Amino acid sequence: MPYFSKASAIIGIIPESLREQIDSIESLELVQLPSAGYEGWNRWIHKAVLCNSSGTFGFTIAEYVIQAILSIYWEADQYKSFQAQNQWNTTRIPIETLRYKNALILGVGDVGSTLASRLKAFGCRTIGLRKKKVEKEGFDRIDQLVNIRTYLPEADLVINCLPSNTDTDDFFQAEMFDLMPSHAIFVNVGRGKFVKTSLLEEVMRKQKIRAMVLDVFEEEPLPPHSSLWNEKSVYITPHISGGYASRYTKDLFAKLVETNLKNLVEHKPFKNQVNRPGFNEGEFGKLDTR
């Protein structure tokens, strides 16, 4: 990469073989990631500004969550089974709707707030939890994450949209699943480290809740030997809910890149900055982007 050592801005994921060289690039002012997550980059970036792509994925992740929940509520797998057998089966299978459901959303950033607005359109009551209280559209109420146990017993849907950091890694514990009603659905579109895979396996093995929707995992790929693969009540996808399969997502990222490159030229503040150049590693990531 002949231009790497002379770059003023780097857009994308820098190959591991080049990351040790980042701080030595005197001309580098901006590193723009194509992901909302930015954990781990404090190892290599101390001088340049680091920006994530928060605000790019909210619409697609919200639609992913809603279609997955509705496929469970409407027993889509059962009807696909009838179709595969060429059966016109008029059996009245009980279904659920989103109307009047209590949705507990962990994280009220772009993904969480976009999802809350969409769920409210279906008639859900939306409660958001985060580290500190803020005002955000789409929520009936927002409270602090430390109060999660207060809300779990009444939650029909528990949806994690939180980023990965020292406060949220391994956050969701067995006692929290115990507090959830047996008809509840647990959704994780935040980060896999939020809950241990072994705990998810145990919860479904004991049928403590109705179902799970899992797009992210503690270990990716999810190991073939995991019992989650064989659970009929678990909806598994390979970390695709926030990807770039949607043209709309690509357009939003392109606009973000255009904005930050323009700001670079005009010496203006960058959008989605997530670090403080010049601070030590312990200070990295303390900007609250949720």
Side-chain angles (χ1 to χ4, degrees):
M1 301 182 72
Y3 300 107
F4 185 76
S5 62
K6 300 178 182 179
S8 296
I10 299 176
I11 313 299
I13 300 297
I14 301 170
E16 289 188 23
S17 60
L18 296 174
R19 292 176 188 176
E20 295 290 347
Q21 304 174 36
I22 296 175
D23 271 351
S24 66
I25 304 175
E26 296 295 334
S27 58
L28 186 61
E29 297 182 54
L30 168 68
V31 176
Q32 174 67 64
L33 297 177
S35 60
Y38 56 91
E39 59 272 13
W41 286 97
N42 57 313
R43 291 176 55 191
W44 301 286
I45 300 175
H46 303 95
K47 297 178 181 179
V49 168
L50 178 69
C51 296
N52 72 352
S53 54
S54 178
T56 302
F57 308 105
F59 289 97
T60 52
I61 294 179
E63 289 186 14
Y64 165 90
V65 171
I66 290 171
Q67 64 82 25
I69 292 171
L70 287 176
S71 73
I72 294 170
Y73 278 172
W74 281 82
E75 299 290 348
D77 285 347
Q78 184 63 69
Y79 285 106
K80 289 297 290 184
S81 175
F82 293 155
Q83 180 180 342
Q85 300 172 53
N86 297 355
Q87 286 187 21
W88 183 266
N89 193 319
T90 58
T91 302
R92 297 288 183 177
I93 301 175
I95 59 100
E96 290 280 351
T97 71
L98 283 168
R99 189 168 178 80
Y100 301 129
K101 294 294 187 294
N102 290 321
L104 183 62
I105 302 174
L106 313 181
V108 302
D110 171 52
V111 174
S113 59
T114 302
L115 175 59
S117 297
R118 300 298 185 273
L119 287 173
K120 280 191 68 66
F122 281 92
C124 288
R125 178 172 180 259
T126 56
I127 299 172
L129 300 181
R130 74 189 301 274
K131 188 174 182 180
K132 298 178 182 178
K133 281 188 178 182
V134 293
E135 294 295 327
K136 280 287 186 78
E137 292 185 7
F139 292 95
D140 292 296
R141 183 174 184 179
I142 293 179
D143 201 351
Q144 292 179 290
L145 188 60
V146 294
N147 297 324
I148 185 172
R149 291 166 183 79
T150 302
Y151 300 96
L152 287 172
E154 301 297 325
D156 301 299
L157 306 168
V158 178
I159 307 167
N160 176 48
C161 305
L162 290 168
S164 178
N165 56 49
T166 54
D167 294 326
T168 61
D169 287 354
D170 197 22
F171 177 86
F172 214 83
Q173 299 290 313
E175 58 164 313
M176 297 179 183
F177 280 111
D178 291 339
L179 290 171
M180 293 169 61
S182 60
H183 66 266
I185 296 176
F186 175 80
V187 180
N188 192 6
V189 288
R191 286 292 180 268
K193 292 180 180 179
F194 180 73
V195 57
K196 289 189 176 300
T197 300
S198 57
L199 176 56
L200 298 175
E201 293 169 341
E202 179 186 355
V203 168
M204 294 313 298
R205 184 168 58 251
K206 295 181 177 179
Q207 298 182 331
K208 289 187 175 182
I209 60 175
R210 175 175 178 175
M212 291 180 178
V213 175
L214 305 172
D215 185 53
V216 292
F217 298 87
E218 180 184 16
E219 179 185 353
E220 295 184 1
L222 178 66
H225 58 75
S226 173
S227 61
L228 292 173
W229 288 110
N230 299 317
E231 290 285 355
K232 292 183 178 180
S233 297
V234 177
Y235 184 106
I236 293 175
T237 49
H239 205 148
I240 50 84
S241 65
Y244 283 90
S246 164
R247 183 179 64 183
Y248 183 70
T249 303
K250 295 176 183 176
D251 289 344
L252 286 176
F253 181 63
K255 290 178 181 178
L256 173 62
V257 171
E258 180 182 6
T259 296
N260 274 344
L261 289 179
K262 182 179 180 181
N263 291 348
L264 172 64
V265 172
E266 297 178 355
H267 304 288
K268 293 181 178 179
F270 295 108
K271 186 175 181 180
N272 286 10
Q273 181 176 341
V274 293
N275 72 334
R276 294 185 177 97
F279 279 69
N280 61 37
E281 184 171 318
E283 292 294 325
F284 188 95
K286 289 190 176 181
L287 292 182
D288 194 344
T289 60
R290 285 174 282 170

CSV table of all heavy atoms in Angstrom, one decimal, residues 132-180:
chain,number,residue,atom,x,y,z
A,132,LYS,N,-27.0,6.8,31.4
A,132,LYS,CA,-27.5,8.0,32.0
A,132,LYS,C,-28.8,8.3,31.3
A,132,LYS,O,-29.0,8.1,30.1
A,132,LYS,CB,-26.5,9.1,31.8
A,132,LYS,CG,-25.2,8.9,32.5
A,132,LYS,CD,-24.2,10.1,32.3
A,132,LYS,CE,-22.9,9.9,32.9
A,132,LYS,NZ,-21.9,11.0,32.6
A,133,LYS,N,-29.7,9.0,32.1
A,133,LYS,CA,-31.0,9.4,31.5
A,133,LYS,C,-30.8,10.5,30.5
A,133,LYS,O,-30.0,11.4,30.6
A,133,LYS,CB,-31.9,9.8,32.6
A,133,LYS,CG,-32.6,8.8,33.4
A,133,LYS,CD,-33.6,9.4,34.3
A,133,LYS,CE,-34.4,8.3,35.1
A,133,LYS,NZ,-35.4,8.9,36.0
A,134,VAL,N,-31.6,10.4,29.4
A,134,VAL,CA,-31.6,11.4,28.4
A,134,VAL,C,-33.1,11.5,27.8
A,134,VAL,O,-33.9,10.6,28.2
A,134,VAL,CB,-30.7,11.2,27.2
A,134,VAL,CG1,-29.2,11.2,27.6
A,134,VAL,CG2,-31.0,9.8,26.5
A,135,GLU,N,-33.4,12.4,27.0
A,135,GLU,CA,-34.7,12.5,26.3
A,135,GLU,C,-34.5,12.1,24.9
A,135,GLU,O,-33.6,12.6,24.2
A,135,GLU,CB,-35.2,13.9,26.4
A,135,GLU,CG,-35.6,14.4,27.8
A,135,GLU,CD,-36.7,13.6,28.4
A,135,GLU,OE1,-37.6,13.2,27.7
A,135,GLU,OE2,-36.7,13.4,29.7
A,136,LYS,N,-35.2,11.1,24.5
A,136,LYS,CA,-35.2,10.6,23.1
A,136,LYS,C,-36.6,10.3,22.6
A,136,LYS,O,-37.4,9.8,23.3
A,136,LYS,CB,-34.3,9.3,23.0
A,136,LYS,CG,-32.8,9.5,23.0
A,136,LYS,CD,-32.3,10.1,21.7
A,136,LYS,CE,-30.8,10.2,21.6
A,136,LYS,NZ,-30.2,8.9,21.3
A,137,GLU,N,-36.8,10.7,21.3
A,137,GLU,CA,-38.1,10.4,20.7
A,137,GLU,C,-38.3,8.9,20.5
A,137,GLU,O,-37.3,8.1,20.4
A,137,GLU,CB,-38.2,11.1,19.3
A,137,GLU,CG,-38.3,12.6,19.4
A,137,GLU,CD,-38.6,13.2,18.1
A,137,GLU,OE1,-38.8,12.4,17.1
A,137,GLU,OE2,-38.5,14.4,18.0
A,138,GLY,N,-39.5,8.4,20.6
A,138,GLY,CA,-39.8,7.0,20.4
A,138,GLY,C,-40.0,6.2,21.6
A,138,GLY,O,-40.5,5.1,21.6
A,139,PHE,N,-39.6,6.8,22.8
A,139,PHE,CA,-39.7,6.0,24.0
A,139,PHE,C,-40.8,6.6,24.9
A,139,PHE,O,-40.9,7.8,25.0
A,139,PHE,CB,-38.4,6.1,24.8
A,139,PHE,CG,-37.3,5.3,24.1
A,139,PHE,CD1,-36.4,6.0,23.3
A,139,PHE,CD2,-37.1,4.0,24.3
A,139,PHE,CE1,-35.3,5.3,22.7
A,139,PHE,CE2,-36.1,3.3,23.7
A,139,PHE,CZ,-35.2,3.9,22.9
A,140,ASP,N,-41.5,5.7,25.6
A,140,ASP,CA,-42.5,6.2,26.6
A,140,ASP,C,-41.8,6.5,27.9
A,140,ASP,O,-42.2,7.4,28.6
A,140,ASP,CB,-43.5,5.1,26.8
A,140,ASP,CG,-44.4,4.8,25.6
A,140,ASP,OD1,-45.2,5.7,25.3
A,140,ASP,OD2,-44.3,3.7,25.1
A,141,ARG,N,-40.6,5.9,28.0
A,141,ARG,CA,-39.8,6.2,29.2
A,141,ARG,C,-38.4,5.8,29.0
A,141,ARG,O,-38.1,4.8,28.3
A,141,ARG,CB,-40.4,5.4,30.5
A,141,ARG,CG,-39.7,5.7,31.8
A,141,ARG,CD,-40.4,5.1,32.9
A,141,ARG,NE,-39.8,5.4,34.2
A,141,ARG,CZ,-40.2,5.0,35.4
A,141,ARG,NH1,-41.2,4.2,35.5
A,141,ARG,NH2,-39.6,5.4,36.5
A,142,ILE,N,-37.5,6.5,29.6
A,142,ILE,CA,-36.0,6.2,29.6
A,142,ILE,C,-35.5,6.2,31.0
A,142,ILE,O,-35.8,7.2,31.7
A,142,ILE,CB,-35.2,7.1,28.7
A,142,ILE,CG1,-35.6,7.0,27.2
A,142,ILE,CG2,-33.7,6.9,28.8
A,142,ILE,CD1,-34.9,7.9,26.3
A,143,ASP,N,-34.8,5.2,31.4
A,143,ASP,CA,-34.3,5.1,32.7
A,143,ASP,C,-32.8,4.6,32.6
A,143,ASP,O,-32.3,4.3,31.6
A,143,ASP,CB,-35.1,4.1,33.6
A,143,ASP,CG,-34.9,4.3,35.1
A,143,ASP,OD1,-34.1,5.1,35.5
A,143,ASP,OD2,-35.7,3.7,35.8
A,144,GLN,N,-32.2,4.5,33.8
A,144,GLN,CA,-30.8,4.1,33.8
A,144,GLN,C,-30.7,2.6,33.8
A,144,GLN,O,-31.5,1.8,34.3
A,144,GLN,CB,-30.1,4.6,35.1
A,144,GLN,CG,-30.0,6.1,35.2
A,144,GLN,CD,-29.3,6.5,36.5
A,144,GLN,OE1,-29.9,6.5,37.5
A,144,GLN,NE2,-28.1,7.0,36.4
A,145,LEU,N,-29.6,2.1,33.1
A,145,LEU,CA,-29.4,0.7,32.9
A,145,LEU,C,-29.3,-0.1,34.2
A,145,LEU,O,-29.7,-1.3,34.3
A,145,LEU,CB,-28.2,0.5,32.1
A,145,LEU,CG,-27.9,-1.0,31.6
A,145,LEU,CD1,-29.0,-1.5,30.7
A,145,LEU,CD2,-26.5,-1.0,30.8
A,146,VAL,N,-28.9,0.5,35.3
A,146,VAL,CA,-28.7,-0.2,36.6
A,146,VAL,C,-30.1,-0.6,37.1
A,146,VAL,O,-30.1,-1.4,38.0
A,146,VAL,CB,-28.0,0.7,37.6
A,146,VAL,CG1,-26.5,1.0,37.2
A,146,VAL,CG2,-28.7,2.1,37.8
A,147,ASN,N,-31.1,0.0,36.6
A,147,ASN,CA,-32.5,-0.3,37.1
A,147,ASN,C,-33.2,-1.4,36.3
A,147,ASN,O,-34.4,-1.6,36.4
A,147,ASN,CB,-33.3,1.0,37.1
A,147,ASN,CG,-32.8,2.0,38.1
A,147,ASN,OD1,-32.3,1.7,39.2
A,147,ASN,ND2,-32.9,3.3,37.7
A,148,ILE,N,-32.4,-2.1,35.5
A,148,ILE,CA,-33.0,-3.1,34.6
A,148,ILE,C,-33.9,-4.1,35.3
A,148,ILE,O,-34.9,-4.5,34.7
A,148,ILE,CB,-31.9,-3.8,33.8
A,148,ILE,CG1,-32.5,-4.7,32.7
A,148,ILE,CG2,-30.9,-4.6,34.7
A,148,ILE,CD1,-31.5,-5.3,31.8
A,149,ARG,N,-33.5,-4.5,36.5
A,149,ARG,CA,-34.3,-5.6,37.2
A,149,ARG,C,-35.7,-5.1,37.5
A,149,ARG,O,-36.6,-6.0,37.6
A,149,ARG,CB,-33.6,-6.0,38.5
A,149,ARG,CG,-32.3,-6.7,38.2
A,149,ARG,CD,-31.4,-6.9,39.4
A,149,ARG,NE,-30.1,-7.5,39.1
A,149,ARG,CZ,-29.1,-6.9,38.6
A,149,ARG,NH1,-29.2,-5.6,38.3
A,149,ARG,NH2,-28.0,-7.5,38.4
A,150,THR,N,-35.9,-3.8,37.6
A,150,THR,CA,-37.3,-3.3,37.8
A,150,THR,C,-38.2,-3.6,36.7
A,150,THR,O,-39.4,-3.8,36.9
A,150,THR,CB,-37.2,-1.8,38.1
A,150,THR,OG1,-36.3,-1.5,39.2
A,150,THR,CG2,-38.6,-1.2,38.4
A,151,TYR,N,-37.7,-3.6,35.5
A,151,TYR,CA,-38.5,-3.7,34.3
A,151,TYR,C,-38.6,-5.1,33.7
A,151,TYR,O,-39.5,-5.3,32.9
A,151,TYR,CB,-37.9,-2.7,33.2
A,151,TYR,CG,-37.9,-1.3,33.6
A,151,TYR,CD1,-36.8,-0.7,34.2
A,151,TYR,CD2,-39.1,-0.5,33.6
A,151,TYR,CE1,-36.8,0.6,34.6
A,151,TYR,CE2,-39.1,0.8,34.0
A,151,TYR,CZ,-37.9,1.4,34.5
A,151,TYR,OH,-37.9,2.7,35.0
A,152,LEU,N,-37.7,-5.9,34.0
A,152,LEU,CA,-37.7,-7.3,33.3
A,152,LEU,C,-39.0,-8.1,33.6
A,152,LEU,O,-39.4,-8.8,32.7
A,152,LEU,CB,-36.5,-8.1,33.8
A,152,LEU,CG,-35.1,-7.6,33.2
A,152,LEU,CD1,-34.0,-8.3,33.9
A,152,LEU,CD2,-35.1,-7.8,31.7
A,153,PRO,N,-39.6,-8.1,34.8
A,153,PRO,CA,-40.7,-8.9,35.0
A,153,PRO,C,-41.9,-8.6,34.1
A,153,PRO,O,-42.8,-9.4,33.9
A,153,PRO,CB,-41.1,-8.7,36.5
A,153,PRO,CG,-39.8,-8.3,37.1
A,153,PRO,CD,-39.1,-7.5,36.0
A,154,GLU,N,-42.0,-7.3,33.6
A,154,GLU,CA,-43.1,-6.9,32.8
A,154,GLU,C,-42.8,-6.9,31.3
A,154,GLU,O,-43.6,-6.5,30.5
A,154,GLU,CB,-43.6,-5.5,33.2
A,154,GLU,CG,-44.1,-5.5,34.7
A,154,GLU,CD,-45.3,-6.4,34.9
A,154,GLU,OE1,-46.1,-6.5,34.0
A,154,GLU,OE2,-45.3,-7.0,36.0
A,155,ALA,N,-41.5,-7.3,30.9
A,155,ALA,CA,-41.1,-7.1,29.6
A,155,ALA,C,-41.5,-8.3,28.7
A,155,ALA,O,-41.2,-9.4,29.0
A,155,ALA,CB,-39.6,-7.0,29.5
A,156,ASP,N,-42.2,-8.0,27.6
A,156,ASP,CA,-42.6,-9.0,26.6
A,156,ASP,C,-41.4,-9.2,25.7
A,156,ASP,O,-41.2,-10.3,25.2
A,156,ASP,CB,-43.8,-8.6,25.9
A,156,ASP,CG,-45.0,-8.4,26.8
A,156,ASP,OD1,-45.4,-9.4,27.4
A,156,ASP,OD2,-45.5,-7.3,26.8
A,157,LEU,N,-40.7,-8.1,25.4
A,157,LEU,CA,-39.5,-8.2,24.5
A,157,LEU,C,-38.3,-7.5,25.2
A,157,LEU,O,-38.5,-6.4,25.8
A,157,LEU,CB,-39.8,-7.4,23.3
A,157,LEU,CG,-41.1,-7.8,22.5
A,157,LEU,CD1,-41.4,-6.8,21.4
A,157,LEU,CD2,-40.9,-9.2,21.8
A,158,VAL,N,-37.2,-8.1,25.3
A,158,VAL,CA,-36.0,-7.5,25.8
A,158,VAL,C,-35.0,-7.5,24.6
A,158,VAL,O,-34.6,-8.5,24.1
A,158,VAL,CB,-35.4,-8.4,27.0
A,158,VAL,CG1,-34.1,-7.7,27.5
A,158,VAL,CG2,-36.4,-8.4,28.1
A,159,ILE,N,-34.6,-6.3,24.2
A,159,ILE,CA,-33.8,-6.1,23.0
A,159,ILE,C,-32.5,-5.4,23.3
A,159,ILE,O,-32.6,-4.2,23.7
A,159,ILE,CB,-34.6,-5.4,21.9
A,159,ILE,CG1,-36.0,-6.0,21.7
A,159,ILE,CG2,-33.8,-5.3,20.6
A,159,ILE,CD1,-37.0,-5.2,20.9
A,160,ASN,N,-31.4,-6.0,23.1
A,160,ASN,CA,-30.1,-5.4,23.4
A,160,ASN,C,-29.6,-4.7,22.2
A,160,ASN,O,-29.3,-5.3,21.1
A,160,ASN,CB,-29.1,-6.4,23.9
A,160,ASN,CG,-27.7,-5.8,24.1
A,160,ASN,OD1,-27.6,-4.7,24.7
A,160,ASN,ND2,-26.7,-6.4,23.6
A,161,CYS,N,-29.3,-3.4,22.3
A,161,CYS,CA,-28.7,-2.6,21.2
A,161,CYS,C,-27.4,-1.9,21.7
A,161,CYS,O,-26.9,-1.0,21.1
A,161,CYS,CB,-29.7,-1.6,20.7
A,161,CYS,SG,-31.3,-2.2,20.2
A,162,LEU,N,-26.9,-2.3,22.9
A,162,LEU,CA,-25.8,-1.6,23.5
A,162,LEU,C,-24.5,-2.0,22.8
A,162,LEU,O,-24.3,-3.1,22.3
A,162,LEU,CB,-25.7,-2.0,25.0
A,162,LEU,CG,-26.7,-1.5,25.9
A,162,LEU,CD1,-26.7,-2.2,27.2
A,162,LEU,CD2,-26.6,0.0,26.1
A,163,PRO,N,-23.5,-1.1,22.8
A,163,PRO,CA,-22.2,-1.3,22.2
A,163,PRO,C,-21.4,-2.2,23.2
A,163,PRO,O,-21.8,-2.4,24.4
A,163,PRO,CB,-21.6,0.0,22.1
A,163,PRO,CG,-22.2,0.9,23.1
A,163,PRO,CD,-23.6,0.3,23.2
A,164,SER,N,-20.3,-2.7,22.8
A,164,SER,CA,-19.4,-3.5,23.7
A,164,SER,C,-18.4,-2.6,24.4
A,164,SER,O,-17.7,-1.8,23.7
A,164,SER,CB,-18.7,-4.5,22.9
A,164,SER,OG,-17.8,-5.3,23.7
A,165,ASN,N,-18.4,-2.6,25.7
A,165,ASN,CA,-17.3,-2.0,26.5
A,165,ASN,C,-17.2,-2.7,27.8
A,165,ASN,O,-17.9,-3.6,28.1
A,165,ASN,CB,-17.6,-0.5,26.6
A,165,ASN,CG,-19.0,-0.2,27.2
A,165,ASN,OD1,-19.4,-0.7,28.3
A,165,ASN,ND2,-19.8,0.7,26.6
A,166,THR,N,-16.4,-2.2,28.7
A,166,THR,CA,-16.2,-2.8,30.0
A,166,THR,C,-17.5,-2.8,30.9
A,166,THR,O,-17.6,-3.7,31.7
A,166,THR,CB,-15.1,-2.2,30.8
A,166,THR,OG1,-15.3,-0.7,30.9
A,166,THR,CG2,-13.7,-2.3,30.1
A,167,ASP,N,-18.4,-1.9,30.6
A,167,ASP,CA,-19.6,-1.8,31.4
A,167,ASP,C,-20.7,-2.8,30.9
A,167,ASP,O,-21.5,-3.2,31.7
A,167,ASP,CB,-20.2,-0.4,31.3
A,167,ASP,CG,-19.3,0.6,32.0
A,167,ASP,OD1,-18.7,0.2,33.0
A,167,ASP,OD2,-19.3,1.8,31.6
A,168,THR,N,-20.6,-3.2,29.6
A,168,THR,CA,-21.7,-4.0,29.0
A,168,THR,C,-21.2,-5.4,28.7
A,168,THR,O,-22.1,-6.3,28.5
A,168,THR,CB,-22.2,-3.4,27.7
A,168,THR,OG1,-21.2,-3.3,26.8
A,168,THR,CG2,-22.8,-2.0,28.0
A,169,ASP,N,-19.9,-5.7,28.7
A,169,ASP,CA,-19.5,-7.1,28.5
A,169,ASP,C,-19.9,-8.0,29.6
A,169,ASP,O,-19.8,-7.7,30.8
A,169,ASP,CB,-18.0,-7.1,28.4
A,169,ASP,CG,-17.4,-6.5,27.1
A,169,ASP,OD1,-18.3,-6.2,26.2
A,169,ASP,OD2,-16.2,-6.4,26.9
A,170,ASP,N,-20.5,-9.1,29.2
A,170,ASP,CA,-21.0,-10.1,30.2
A,170,ASP,C,-22.0,-9.5,31.2
A,170,ASP,O,-22.1,-9.9,32.3
A,170,ASP,CB,-19.9,-10.7,30.9
A,170,ASP,CG,-20.2,-12.0,31.7
A,170,ASP,OD1,-21.2,-12.6,31.3
A,170,ASP,OD2,-19.5,-12.4,32.6
A,171,PHE,N,-22.8,-8.5,30.7
A,171,PHE,CA,-23.7,-7.8,31.5
A,171,PHE,C,-25.0,-8.6,31.9
A,171,PHE,O,-25.4,-8.6,33.0
A,171,PHE,CB,-24.2,-6.5,30.8
A,171,PHE,CG,-25.2,-5.7,31.6
A,171,PHE,CD1,-24.8,-4.8,32.5
A,171,PHE,CD2,-26.6,-5.9,31.3
A,171,PHE,CE1,-25.8,-4.1,33.2
A,171,PHE,CE2,-27.5,-5.2,32.0
A,171,PHE,CZ,-27.1,-4.2,33.0
A,172,PHE,N,-25.5,-9.3,30.9
A,172,PHE,CA,-26.8,-10.0,31.1
A,172,PHE,C,-26.5,-11.4,31.8
A,172,PHE,O,-25.9,-12.2,31.2
A,172,PHE,CB,-27.6,-10.2,29.8
A,172,PHE,CG,-29.0,-10.1,30.0
A,172,PHE,CD1,-29.7,-8.9,30.0
A,172,PHE,CD2,-29.8,-11.3,30.1
A,172,PHE,CE1,-31.1,-8.8,30.1
A,172,PHE,CE2,-31.2,-11.2,30.3
A,172,PHE,CZ,-31.8,-10.0,30.3
A,173,GLN,N,-27.0,-11.5,33.0
A,173,GLN,CA,-26.8,-12.6,33.9
A,173,GLN,C,-28.0,-13.6,34.0
A,173,GLN,O,-29.1,-13.2,33.6
A,173,GLN,CB,-26.3,-12.2,35.3
A,173,GLN,CG,-25.1,-11.3,35.3
A,173,GLN,CD,-23.8,-12.1,34.9
A,173,GLN,OE1,-23.6,-13.2,35.4
A,173,GLN,NE2,-23.0,-11.6,34.0
A,174,ALA,N,-27.7,-14.8,34.5
A,174,ALA,CA,-28.8,-15.8,34.7
A,174,ALA,C,-30.0,-15.2,35.5
A,174,ALA,O,-31.1,-15.5,35.1
A,174,ALA,CB,-28.2,-17.0,35.3
A,175,GLU,N,-29.7,-14.5,36.5
A,175,GLU,CA,-30.8,-13.9,37.4
A,175,GLU,C,-31.7,-13.0,36.6
A,175,GLU,O,-32.9,-12.9,36.9
A,175,GLU,CB,-30.2,-13.1,38.5
A,175,GLU,CG,-29.3,-12.0,38.1
A,175,GLU,CD,-29.0,-11.0,39.2
A,175,GLU,OE1,-30.0,-10.6,39.9
A,175,GLU,OE2,-27.9,-10.6,39.4
A,176,MET,N,-31.2,-12.4,35.5
A,176,MET,CA,-32.0,-11.5,34.7
A,176,MET,C,-33.0,-12.3,33.9
A,176,MET,O,-34.2,-11.9,33.7
A,176,MET,CB,-31.1,-10.6,33.9
A,176,MET,CG,-30.3,-9.6,34.7
A,176,MET,SD,-29.2,-8.6,33.7
A,176,MET,CE,-28.3,-7.7,35.0
A,177,PHE,N,-32.5,-13.4,33.3
A,177,PHE,CA,-33.4,-14.3,32.6
A,177,PHE,C,-34.5,-14.8,33.5
A,177,PHE,O,-35.7,-15.0,33.1
A,177,PHE,CB,-32.7,-15.4,31.9
A,177,PHE,CG,-32.0,-15.1,30.6
A,177,PHE,CD1,-30.6,-15.0,30.6
A,177,PHE,CD2,-32.7,-14.8,29.5
A,177,PHE,CE1,-30.0,-14.6,29.4
A,177,PHE,CE2,-32.1,-14.4,28.3
A,177,PHE,CZ,-30.7,-14.3,28.2
A,178,ASP,N,-34.1,-15.1,34.8
A,178,ASP,CA,-35.1,-15.6,35.7
A,178,ASP,C,-36.2,-14.6,36.0
A,178,ASP,O,-37.3,-15.0,36.4
A,178,ASP,CB,-34.4,-16.0,37.0
A,178,ASP,CG,-33.4,-17.2,36.9
A,178,ASP,OD1,-33.6,-18.0,36.0
A,178,ASP,OD2,-32.5,-17.3,37.8
A,179,LEU,N,-35.9,-13.3,35.9
A,179,LEU,CA,-36.9,-12.3,36.1
A,179,LEU,C,-37.9,-12.1,35.0
A,179,LEU,O,-38.9,-11.5,35.1
A,179,LEU,CB,-36.2,-11.0,36.4
A,179,LEU,CG,-35.5,-10.9,37.8
A,179,LEU,CD1,-34.6,-9.6,37.8
A,179,LEU,CD2,-36.4,-10.9,38.9
A,180,MET,N,-37.5,-12.6,33.8
A,180,MET,CA,-38.3,-12.4,32.6
A,180,MET,C,-39.5,-13.3,32.6
A,180,MET,O,-39.4,-14.5,33.1
A,180,MET,CB,-37.5,-12.6,31.3
A,180,MET,CG,-36.4,-11.5,31.1
A,180,MET,SD,-35.2,-12.0,29.8
A,180,MET,CE,-36.3,-12.1,28.4
